[in-house]
């Protein structure tokens, strides 16, 4: 087999439809944005109008993560016609050192000469540059603008006042997640109508839009046969109902392809002679069942819970969870401190004739359970006084534990609660 | 080892996929093979010369002036204690991967990394379940096979949140590993931003492993955001693997926009079962037969019941060997393991109570008596003093004065047997028993 490895990999590639689909469903930036035509048209309209009238505009775009805000703006910014009309600056506000440093970044982008020494100098440089701007308007995009939120919002106010101050030069676009950032934090802008930014909301993608996006991506790669419409609808419906985040939809789509590919290759008899030879797997369309399996493993807790508690979950941790359940179910006082839980746990262990761990070890045990997200520990000054709350649904846990003999036994052991005689 | 070598290239075909450069998004045909067996992680016995180079062992090997450490590295061990150096925690052996779970983990890791479009991954699991070891090993394999296959090199960068004084130092560390220089973070950030955001040149693939992700989360979360936002650029050619303990960290700690970027490609390392722990210990012991099989099983079962932490199991084994050595015995038996376990899972509090002075013990009893009487856990010093007087006169001691009793109380508070809240408020201070009442009864049962 050594000669084979020495050859250069052949240039012409044969990519299986699974791999192709996986590549097409990537969540990196794209120029093709189905489902956002309306918003893009509106934005372009606003920009064109502003250019025609030569009047400054401020704009605030909001929407949940993964709804294509930045992608839409990037698409507009990369339009050659826009390049002719505007001088464009894109600043991602996560990239700045402190809130005030945003001036420095903008002035650097504006090509201010010399290194301004202070915030004030930078601000001055920006304002000078804006005044000097005659032929082109400046299109300033501030992504993740909520990073600029500070104590007094001095920076945000200054920035949002620019469009009025330089009424012919600037189009300001702020992007963030929260719907009411400008109302909530910039109340003073409301007193002056001309200062108020124009609001635009990117709603979460609907089922139709998500399936449209997925279909288009798959068609681009020529692998639309892989996902029958029914499965796509199912996937889109589920994601749209939960978050409407297209990154998530693409992610799950990729996962489904991966799982399908794995099960496909598992069916193949593995023999060593096969290795050099490649084969293209036939396009077996993905069944709705496969989609559901992946969706459940992503969103369902009770299923993973069942699987977790089966074998690999350490016994002492199981007993710990059961003790919490016992207190929650059988005791009037439902407030659980670590000290109290340990007392109950010790009695349970005694009853089951299992050796119990001591308190310091038990504290460690609790934090191990916490890393799985089952409980949350509210830290107090003393370890004994830490408060423990069950994070998963009580019913879910009980159902998952129900038919296990050990658990049933613990849940009936009311005497372990240690009522005072 | 010969056998392993001859089979390596085949596996490498799959392993190398991550670092293949396919600018057009297409790949050579040989990469299409569906093979996913990774049987080449061979036994510790033939792997000992190629134990992964953690910096430490590498230094040892290179330094010829310390013959002792060189001997260690070659693992020519005869006595149990020397053999036990192999049990040393923190040294990653390839056999760690021979377990099912990690194997599965590696498979998915590879699948994830296969076409480097799929770029963020989150690995979680309780401490000591081999997360970092598995990732390191996957990357080591990739590197080894990349050289063999004349594949384009990829850069492997590792940062650990615990080693950073401040989240933004992450940029500095990444820059240093890329360029070999230390610069202020702004400069490092600007370079990285240029490198990962702009198209241009033929860039090699970068694999960035972020260990202890939760330490990078400050209030602004700008560092995490940037680390996870770079891979979204096609130009970046960046694969980010993040590791943390908490399973639901993205939902619990991270902001929505960061969670959305992290994606749903997640992998959870389950705690080791006792069988896996047994396997790990046995493979770490290599051919050494001085360790009783039942003893290994006992250790594995004890650890698997509590945490499933492999480090802990190895620790206990090492301690058992030390116990056996102290007794000048060649083999480690169940008895030694039990002694080591008793040491490590011992209840020091009972011993502390036993070692208390007589009046301190009576004071502890008084605390219990008072909380029994009032029915609430938290008691005041005044109430306890009344009980203390009674108890000490029953047992025939002279009753200490209040000042003396406060002194006793302060001493017990200092060794954490009781918690005294606001100890400045003298006789009105509130006192809480910090040990279980059963422990006190158990410790004092023959004194009563």
């Amino acid at each position: 087999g050594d000669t084979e490895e020495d050859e250069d990999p052949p240039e012409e590639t044969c990519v299986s439809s699974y791999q192709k689909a996986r590549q097409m469903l990537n969540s990196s930036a794209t120029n093709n944005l189905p489902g956002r035509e309306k918003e893009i048209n509106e934005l372009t309209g606003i920009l064109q109008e502003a250019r025609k009238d030569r009047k400054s505009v401020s704009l605030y775009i909001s929407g949940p993560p993964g709804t294509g805000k930045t992608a839409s703006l990037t698409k507009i910014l990369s339009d050659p016609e826009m390049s002719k009309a505007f001088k464009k600056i894109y600043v991602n506000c996560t990239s700045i050192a402190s809130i005030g440093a945003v001036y420095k970044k903008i002035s650097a982008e504006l090509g201010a000469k010399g290194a301004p020494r202070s915030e004030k100098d930078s601000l001055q440089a920006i304002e000078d540059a804006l005044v000097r701007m005659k032929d082109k308007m400046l299109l300033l995009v501030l992504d993740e603008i909520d990073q600029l939120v500070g104590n007094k919002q001095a920076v945000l106010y200054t920035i949002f006042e620019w469009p009025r101050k330089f009424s012919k030069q600037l189009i300001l676009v702020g992007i963030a997640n929260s719907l009411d950032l400008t109302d909530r934090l910039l109340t003073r802008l409301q007193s002056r109508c001309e200062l108020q930014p124009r609001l635009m909301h990117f709603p979460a993608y609907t089922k139709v839009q998500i399936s449209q996006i997925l279909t288009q991506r798959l068609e681009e790669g020529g692998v639309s046969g892989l996902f029958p419409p029914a499965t796509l609808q199912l996937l889109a419906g589920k994601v749209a109902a939960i978050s409407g985040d297209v990154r998530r939809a693409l992610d799950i789509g990729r996962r489904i392809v991966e799982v399908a590919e794995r099960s496909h290759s598992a069916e193949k008899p593995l023999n060593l002679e096969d290795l050099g030879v490649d084969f293209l797997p036939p396009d077996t369309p993905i069944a709705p069942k496969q989609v559901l399996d992946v969706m459940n493993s992503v969103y369902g807790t009770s299923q993973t819970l069942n699987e977790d508690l089966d074998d690999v979950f350490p016994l002492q941790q199981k007993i710990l969870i059961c003790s919490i359940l016992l207190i929650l179910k059988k005791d009037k006082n439902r407030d659980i401190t670590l000290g109290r839980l340990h007392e109950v746990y010790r009695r349970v262990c005694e009853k089951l004739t299992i050796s119990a761990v001591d308190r310091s070890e038990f504290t460690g045990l609790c934090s191990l359970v916490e890393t799985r997200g089952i409980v949350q520990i509210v830290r107090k000054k003393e370890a004994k006084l830490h408060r423990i709350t069950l994070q998963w649904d009580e019913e879910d846990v009980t159902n998952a534990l129900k038919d296990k003999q050990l658990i049933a036994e613990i849940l009936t052991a009311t005497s372990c609660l240690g009522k005072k005689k | 080892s010969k056998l392993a070598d001859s089979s390596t290239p085949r596996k490498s075909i799959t392993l190398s996929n991550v670092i293949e450069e396919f600018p057009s998004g297409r790949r050579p045909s040989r990469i299409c093979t569906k093979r996913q067996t990774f049987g080449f992680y061979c036994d510790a016995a033939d792997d000992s010369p190629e134990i992964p180079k953690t910096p430490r062992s590498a230094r040892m090997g290179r330094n010829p002036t310390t013959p002792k450490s060189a001997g260690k590295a070659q693992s020519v061990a005869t006595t149990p204690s020397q053999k036990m150096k192999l049990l040393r925690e923190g040294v990653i052996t390839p056999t760690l991967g021979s377990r099912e779970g990690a194997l599965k983990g590696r498979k998915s890791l590879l699948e994830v990394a296969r076409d480097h479009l799929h770029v963020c991954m989150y690995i979680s699991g309780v401490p000591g379940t081999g997360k970092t070891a598995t990732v390191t090993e996957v990357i080591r394999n990739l590197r080894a096979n990349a050289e063999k296959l004349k594949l384009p090199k990829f850069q492997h960068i590792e940062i650990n949140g615990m080693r950073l004084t401040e989240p933004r130092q992450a940029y500095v560390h990444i820059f240093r590993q890329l360029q070999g220089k230390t610069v202020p973070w702004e400069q490092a950030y600007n370079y990285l931003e240029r490198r990962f955001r702009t198209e241009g040149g033929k860039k090699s693939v970068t694999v960035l492993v972020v260990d202890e992700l939760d330490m990078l989360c400050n209030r602004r979360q700008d560092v995490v955001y940037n680390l996870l936002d770079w891979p979204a650029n096609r130009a970046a050619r960046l694969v980010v693997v993040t590791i943390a303990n908490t399973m639901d960290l993205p939902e619990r700690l991270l902001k929505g926009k960061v969670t959305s970027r992290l994606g749903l490609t997640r992998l959870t390392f389950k705690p080791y079962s006792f069988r896996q722990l047994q396997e790990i210990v046995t493979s770490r012991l290599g051919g050494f037969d001085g360790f009783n099989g039942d003893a290994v099983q006992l250790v594995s079962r004890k650890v698997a019941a509590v945490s499933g932490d492999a480090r802990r199991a190895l620790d206990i084994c090492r301690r058992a060997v030390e116990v056996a050595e102290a007794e000048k015995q060649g083999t480690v038996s169940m008895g030694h393991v039990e002694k080591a376990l008793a040491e490590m899972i011992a209840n020091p509090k009972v011993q502390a109570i036993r070692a208390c002075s007589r009046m301190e013990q009576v004071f502890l009893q008084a605390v219990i008596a008072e909380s029994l009487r009032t029915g609430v856990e938290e008691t005041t010093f005044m109430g306890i003093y009344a009980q203390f007087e009674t108890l000490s006169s029953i047992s025939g001691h002279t009753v200490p004065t209040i000042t003396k009793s406060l002194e006793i109380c302060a001493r017990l508070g200092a060794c954490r047997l009781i918690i005294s809240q606001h100890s400045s408020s003298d006789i009105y201070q509130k006192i809480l028993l910090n040990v279980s009442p059963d422990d006190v009864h158990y410790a004092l049962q023959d004194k009563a």
Side-chain angles (χ1 to χ4, degrees):
Chain A
D2 279 353
T3 48
E4 271 178 30
E5 270 84 40
D6 293 336
E7 288 168 14
D8 282 325
E11 278 302 305
E12 198 38 56
T13 57
C14 48
V15 176
S16 78
S17 52
Y18 286 126
Q19 283 163 337
K20 189 83 199 162
R22 254 202 343 253
Q23 284 168 5
M24 288 321 295
L25 291 175
N26 70 74
S27 43
S28 33
T30 172
N31 260 338
N32 209 341
L33 293 165
R36 284 289 172 244
E37 293 88 359
K38 197 179 118 249
E39 281 81 3
I40 290 175
N41 282 340
E42 197 183 332
L43 271 173
T44 325
I46 293 172
L47 294 181
Q48 301 289 10
E49 199 181 312
R51 187 170 69 126
K52 214 171 74 209
D53 302 348
R54 192 141 180 120
K55 192 168 175 297
S56 286
V57 176
S58 70
L59 195 66
Y60 173 71
I61 299 178
S62 64
T67 47
K69 301 180 292 298
T70 307
S72 304
L73 251 299
T74 317
K75 186 182 158 80
I76 291 173
L77 286 178
S78 63
D79 191 355
E81 200 182 314
M82 288 288 165
S83 302
K84 261 185 271 162
F86 298 103
K87 181 171 173 55
K88 301 166 302 186
I89 295 182
Y90 173 85
V91 174
N92 192 322
C93 296
T94 47
S95 66
I96 51 169
S98 66
I99 296 171
V102 71
Y103 299 135
K104 192 176 163 193
K105 182 117 187 170
I106 297 173
S107 74
E109 293 271 339
L110 273 170
K113 289 188 191 69
R117 249 169 276 142
S118 68
E119 240 174 62
K120 221 171 167 185
D121 289 349
S122 313
L123 180 58
Q124 194 59 48
I126 297 169
E127 301 197 339
D128 287 347
L130 278 170
V131 171
R132 268 185 273 116
M133 242 179 205
K134 291 284 181 253
D135 46 340
K136 272 187 186 180
M137 286 180 89
L138 176 67
L139 174 56
L140 174 62
V141 181
L142 296 173
D143 205 346
E144 311 290 355
I145 203 169
D146 51 346
Q147 292 279 340
L148 297 181
V149 173
N151 282 334
K152 289 190 204 147
Q153 327 306 359
V155 173
L156 274 179
Y157 275 122
T158 314
I159 289 175
F160 274 101
E161 273 164 18
W162 282 341
R164 193 191 58 85
K165 210 166 164 186
F166 310 98
S167 56
K168 288 195 174 133
Q169 285 98 345
L170 178 70
I171 296 174
L172 173 70
V173 184
I175 308 178
N177 292 137
S178 69
L179 186 61
D180 59 343
L181 181 121
T182 50
D183 298 348
R184 189 160 40 89
L185 295 164
L186 303 173
T187 40
R188 270 193 281 151
L189 292 183
Q190 284 168 342
S191 56
R192 302 270 296 272
C193 272
E194 71 268 27
L195 283 178
Q196 266 189 44
R198 195 162 157 178
L199 300 183
M200 194 167 166
H201 185 64
F202 276 56
Y205 282 112
T206 62
K207 178 181 170 185
V208 180
Q209 284 168 328
I210 290 180
S211 70
Q212 205 181 338
I213 292 168
L214 293 176
T215 320
Q216 190 172 17
R217 291 262 180 140
L218 292 169
E219 265 167 13
E220 267 172 44
V223 282
S224 47
L226 202 56
F227 277 90
T231 56
L232 265 188
Q233 291 293 326
L234 178 64
L235 169 60
K238 286 260 184 189
V239 175
I242 291 166
S243 61
D245 179 346
V246 76
R247 282 196 202 104
R248 189 161 272 216
L250 291 169
D251 226 23
I252 295 173
R254 253 185 347 244
R255 271 277 277 285
I256 292 168
V257 176
E258 252 164 42
V259 171
E261 191 178 16
R262 203 181 310 161
S263 66
H264 184 86
S265 60
E267 286 163 18
K268 278 260 177 300
L270 294 168
N271 75 62
L272 288 167
E273 273 62 49
D274 254 11
L275 267 174
V277 193
D278 65 79
F279 55 87
L280 282 172
D283 298 7
T284 344
I286 285 157
K289 169 98 178 29
Q290 284 169 307
V291 177
L292 269 185
D293 285 349
V294 172
M295 294 296 295
N296 282 341
S297 71
V298 170
Y299 287 116
T301 54
S302 53
Q303 230 181 13
T304 53
L305 182 64
N306 250 328
E307 182 187 302
D308 270 2
L309 289 169
D310 261 351
D311 45 9
V312 286
F313 212 66
L315 177 70
Q316 301 280 4
Q317 298 185 17
K318 267 190 217 174
I319 298 176
L320 187 149
I321 296 172
C322 294
S323 309
I324 296 177
L325 275 183
L326 176 67
I327 296 179
L328 286 177
K329 281 194 144 354
K330 296 283 159 66
D331 206 351
K332 270 185 221 137
N333 179 6
R334 291 165 61 100
D335 143 74
I336 306 170
T337 59
L338 200 139
R340 176 152 175 262
L341 182 61
H342 186 230
E343 286 301 303
V344 174
Y345 157 84
R346 271 170 59 121
R347 293 205 192 89
V348 170
C349 280
E350 214 169 283
K351 192 167 184 227
L352 298 171
T353 59
I354 292 169
S355 66
V357 299
D358 76 328
R359 257 266 297 291
S360 51
E361 177 101 49
F362 187 75
T363 314
L365 207 59
C366 285
S367 59
L368 284 184
V369 177
E370 193 190 19
T371 62
R372 312 196 123 215
I374 303 174
V375 299
Q376 192 179 9
I377 303 177
V378 182
R379 320 249 158 203
K380 291 279 157 62
K381 210 167 130 206
E382 301 291 340
K384 189 183 179 178
L385 304 174
H386 287 345
R387 189 141 286 137
I388 296 170
T389 47
L390 193 65
Q391 291 290 296
W392 287 357
D393 191 43
E394 215 177 301
E395 286 303 311
D396 265 3
V397 182
T398 324
N399 287 339
L401 296 174
K402 199 160 55 187
D403 39 48
K404 315 267 183 317
Q405 197 188 354
L406 170 83
I407 284 81
E409 200 176 319
I410 294 173
L411 287 184
T412 52
T414 326
S415 63
C416 294
L417 287 172
K419 292 269 156 47
K420 300 273 148 27
K421 287 124 211 162
Chain B
S1 132
K2 270 275 184 292
L3 203 100
D5 271 344
S6 67
S7 67
T8 309
R10 298 202 176 282
K11 247 65 70 179
S12 67
I13 292 171
T14 335
L15 285 163
S16 58
N17 286 343
V18 182
I19 40 93
E20 278 277 14
E21 295 211 26
F22 303 114
S24 59
R26 317 184 80 197
R27 56 184 61 247
S29 61
R30 282 193 297 154
I31 310 299
C32 311
T33 47
K34 296 286 117 204
R35 180 150 307 261
Q36 270 155 357
T37 45
F38 301 91
F40 99 113
Y41 304 106
C42 32
D43 290 327
D46 22 273
D47 261 334
S48 36
E50 50 170 48
I51 280 174
K53 298 254 184 304
T54 55
R56 195 173 168 194
S57 59
R59 229 181 296 126
M60 280 180 181
R62 247 186 279 126
N63 193 350
T65 53
T66 51
K68 199 175 169 192
S69 56
K72 263 186 220 164
Q74 284 160 24
S75 74
V76 274
T78 41
T79 69
S81 77
Q82 274 172 329
K83 196 74 198 173
M84 271 309 118
K85 300 296 183 217
L86 293 176
L87 280 181
R88 190 179 54 200
E89 60 179 316
V91 174
I92 307 149
T93 60
T95 29
L96 248 188
S98 68
R99 74 189 184 102
E100 239 174 289
L103 191 60
K104 204 174 123 209
R106 176 175 306 124
K107 271 190 202 172
S108 356
L109 195 63
L110 283 169
E111 265 156 34
V112 162
R114 178 148 43 205
D115 23 33
H116 48 250
L117 298 165
H118 204 167
V119 275
C120 289
M121 180 171 196
Y122 178 67
I123 298 176
S124 65
V126 293
T129 46
K131 303 183 291 294
T132 312
T134 307
V135 171
T136 316
E137 203 204 324
V138 167
I139 289 177
R140 194 181 60 90
N141 280 324
L142 287 174
R143 186 173 292 286
N145 295 312
E147 280 156 15
K148 214 168 281 171
L149 277 176
K150 294 181 198 138
L151 290 170
K153 285 208 169 174
F154 71 98
Q155 269 168 311
H156 166 218
I157 297 173
E158 222 169 10
I159 55 171
N160 187 324
M162 284 292 207
R163 299 210 185 105
L164 308 174
T165 47
E166 204 245 341
R168 278 171 181 161
Q169 288 296 314
Y171 303 135
V172 179
H173 282 245
I174 296 171
F175 183 83
R176 190 162 52 219
Q177 290 180 51
L178 283 171
Q179 301 282 313
K181 275 185 292 186
T182 307
V183 294
W185 76 263
E186 283 100 339
Q187 214 175 320
Y189 172 75
N190 287 336
Y191 169 80
L192 294 173
E193 187 81 352
R194 261 204 317 283
R195 182 188 167 101
F196 292 131
R197 288 228 197 265
T198 49
E199 302 263 354
K202 206 177 170 207
K203 263 183 272 183
S204 60
V205 177
T206 315
V207 180
L208 172 63
V209 180
V210 184
D211 212 339
E212 314 283 359
L213 178 73
D214 42 348
M215 301 307 290
L216 286 177
C217 303
N218 49 359
R219 199 177 57 84
R220 270 162 58 101
Q221 304 198 349
D222 51 339
V223 176
V224 207
Y225 176 91
N226 281 319
L227 290 182
L228 296 176
D229 198 39
W230 285 330
N233 292 290
R234 257 166 204 274
R237 306 177 75 76
L238 178 66
V239 179
V240 177
V241 181
T242 53
I243 307 174
N245 288 343
T246 316
M247 216 163 128
D248 56 348
L249 180 85
E251 281 75 30
R252 195 181 279 203
L253 203 61
L254 299 176
K255 288 184 184 171
K257 57 189 178 192
V258 181
T259 308
S260 170
R261 281 173 175 79
L262 184 57
L264 292 163
T265 316
R266 302 200 186 151
L267 181 66
T268 309
F269 277 61
K270 302 214 162 106
Y272 288 104
S273 71
F274 91 89
R275 262 179 235 290
Q276 289 167 331
L277 284 176
Q278 207 175 339
E279 203 181 304
I280 288 170
V281 175
T282 321
S283 72
R284 203 60 85 89
L285 286 168
F288 177 55
D289 52 355
F291 218 101
N292 193 329
D294 291 339
V296 175
Q297 194 174 359
L298 178 65
V299 173
S300 317
R301 278 192 190 272
K302 281 276 182 192
V303 174
V306 176
S307 59
D309 185 339
R311 285 182 213 137
R312 181 110 204 225
L314 293 175
D315 262 350
I316 295 175
C317 289
R318 214 175 44 228
R319 181 72 197 128
V321 171
E322 281 166 15
V323 171
E325 275 215 312
E327 291 180 8
K328 308 238 182 295
Q329 291 188 10
T331 56
V332 184
S333 70
M334 290 280 267
H336 300 131
V337 167
E338 251 160 30
K339 252 184 210 161
L341 277 172
E343 259 174 47
M344 298 189 98
I345 315 182
N347 192 345
K349 277 177 182 152
V350 172
Q351 280 155 22
I353 296 168
R354 283 206 180 121
C356 280
S357 74
R358 187 72 197 112
M359 287 331 278
E360 283 166 354
Q361 289 171 349
V362 176
F363 191 86
L364 283 176
Q365 285 171 324
V367 177
I368 296 171
E370 178 65 9
S371 78
L372 263 184
R373 186 182 71 84
T374 52
V376 285
E377 257 191 304
E378 204 178 71
T379 49
T380 62
F381 180 81
M382 276 315 280
I384 293 169
Y385 187 72
Q387 297 282 347
F388 187 45
E389 273 183 313
T390 325
L391 279 173
S392 39
S393 42
I394 289 174
S395 53
H397 298 280
T398 27
V399 186
T401 58
I402 289 211
T403 321
K404 274 273 174 232
S405 313
L406 278 169
E407 218 173 87
I408 290 173
C409 178
R411 268 206 303 277
L412 288 173
C415 60
R416 314 285 298 151
L417 288 174
I418 58 174
I419 301 168
S420 56
Q421 294 169 315
H422 316 298
S423 55
S424 57
S425 50
D426 291 341
I427 55 171
Y428 299 108
Q429 64 180 291
K430 297 209 164 102
I431 287 168
L432 206 59
L433 195 66
N434 197 24
V435 286
S436 134
D438 298 349
D439 277 347
V440 179
H441 293 316
Y442 175 70
L444 305 178
Q445 59 194 352
D446 43 346
K447 300 244 168 117

